[in-house]
Amino acid sequence: MTIGNLNVTLQVWDIGGQTIGGKMLDKYIYGAQGIILVYDITNSQSFENLEDWYTVVKKVSEESETQPLVALVGNKIDLEHMRTVKAEKHLRYCQENGFSSYFVSAKTGDSVFLCFQKVAAEILGIKLNKAEIEQSQPPGSRCYHDANRTSLGRQPHQCILEPHFPRAQPHWGRREAGWGYESTCQCPCSAGKQLQKPDLPPSASHNDLGSTLP
Ligand SMILES: Nc1nc2c(ncn2[C@@H]2O[C@H](COP(=O)(O)OP(=O)(O)OP(=O)(O)O)[C@@H](O)[C@H]2O)c(=O)[nH]1
């Protein structure tokens, strides 16, 4: 793949879920520049299992000079309606451990390439530009911007597709249609999209608005 002006080749090992006790696991982890922990957003157990995997990663990495970048990937976002692991839980785990955060669908391809591209860019210390990010999103990919608001950071909207994206400051105030808010997420899934909730009472305070939102 191309990142900035660089041609980058990734060597990726897919470690099957059944091999956590396997003798080879340490050898895959040792010296790796990046570790992608993947779980299924519709399967809470797969999220709980991450702790065991991360324990192994930490143990092996302690013995290595190279500290890998660790990314957390929630897979199966095409099954958002069956989600059992809240995005908030995912994001908190990322914050607590300094992981990069991604939501993808291996089935539809949503954000998969972008995830690898951004992990590679982060390892290299390169910031992707907006054009590169937009190119990595399949046309018509679903917008998850509004699907899972989180109270983390008390942002009215936390884009779960691109949680690390800079967000425009939400604007609060009286609008012709009533009270509402608008927030322009700068991620490619909803760039420029205006989100409104005009059915809130005029007396609602900002905090009320924050806690009333879906
Ligand atoms: N709907 C949906 N199904 C998926 C997605 N990714 C994988 N699956 C399905 O989930 C099941 C498990 O997929 P695998 O690729 O075998 O999962 P795995 O984690 O590699 O399994 P291990 O061998 O334990 O590592 C299969 O039936 C896949 O078709 C996804 O993004 N969306």
Side-chain angles (χ1 to χ4, degrees):
M1 64 174 62
T2 307
I3 297 175
N5 300 325
L6 293 177
N7 279 328
V8 176
T9 303
L10 300 186
Q11 187 173 31
V12 181
W13 292 291
D14 175 14
I15 315 293
Q18 67 281 6
T19 56
I20 191 153
K23 284 184 186 156
M24 288 296 288
L25 183 56
D26 292 10
K27 298 187 173 29
Y28 286 116
I29 296 171
Y30 189 87
Q33 290 172 293
I35 305 279
I36 302 179
L37 299 172
V38 185
Y39 71 96
D40 173 352
I41 64 160
T42 71
N43 177 346
S44 300
Q45 188 59 51
S46 70
F47 185 84
E48 303 305 327
N49 292 344
L50 292 170
E51 197 53 39
D52 290 341
W53 285 95
Y54 185 46
T55 299
V56 179
V57 169
K58 281 189 287 194
K59 188 170 168 290
V60 176
S61 303
E62 269 172 18
E63 296 154 16
S64 164
E65 284 174 17
T66 328
Q67 290 309 304
L69 174 121
V70 181
L72 180 64
V73 174
N75 185 36
K76 302 198 185 179
I77 52 169
D78 57 292
L79 300 179
E80 182 63 44
H81 57 289
M82 291 167 63
R83 174 190 280 275
T84 56
V85 181
K86 286 186 175 164
E88 189 174 35
K89 197 170 180 184
H90 167 118
L91 293 169
R92 190 179 304 121
Y93 195 43
C94 288
Q95 283 188 343
E96 285 168 359
N97 295 288
F99 299 155
S100 306
S101 163
Y102 299 93
F103 290 93
V104 307
S105 168
K107 185 175 181 181
T108 65
D110 239 6
S111 297
V112 172
F113 187 78
L114 182 64
C115 171
F116 280 106
Q117 195 180 30
K118 289 182 83 173
V119 165
E122 222 178 312
I123 288 169
L124 292 166
I126 296 173
K127 199 170 179 334
L128 296 178
N129 62 40
K130 203 165 178 179
E132 284 175 312
I133 291 165
E134 276 169 2
Q135 272 170 17
S136 303
Q137 286 290 82
S141 51
R142 219 190 111 187
C143 173
Y144 294 90
H145 181 99
D146 207 17
N148 280 272
R149 190 176 66 83
T150 169
S151 60
L152 286 181
R154 296 203 56 75
Q155 294 285 347
H157 283 278
Q158 175 84 47
C159 176
I160 66 162
L161 185 62
E162 294 292 341
H164 296 308
F165 246 81
R167 276 173 295 270
Q169 284 302 309
H171 162 83
W172 304 86
R174 182 182 279 281
R175 304 170 60 83
E176 295 222 342
W179 278 79
Y181 62 90
E182 59 184 296
S183 144
T184 323
C185 176
Q186 293 171 26
C187 84
C189 69
S190 57
K193 185 179 164 197
Q194 184 173 300
L195 302 152
Q196 288 185 38
K197 191 85 178 168
D199 54 336
L200 294 163
S203 59
S205 71
H206 291 184
N207 282 347
D208 290 339
L209 287 167
S211 58
T212 317
L213 297 175

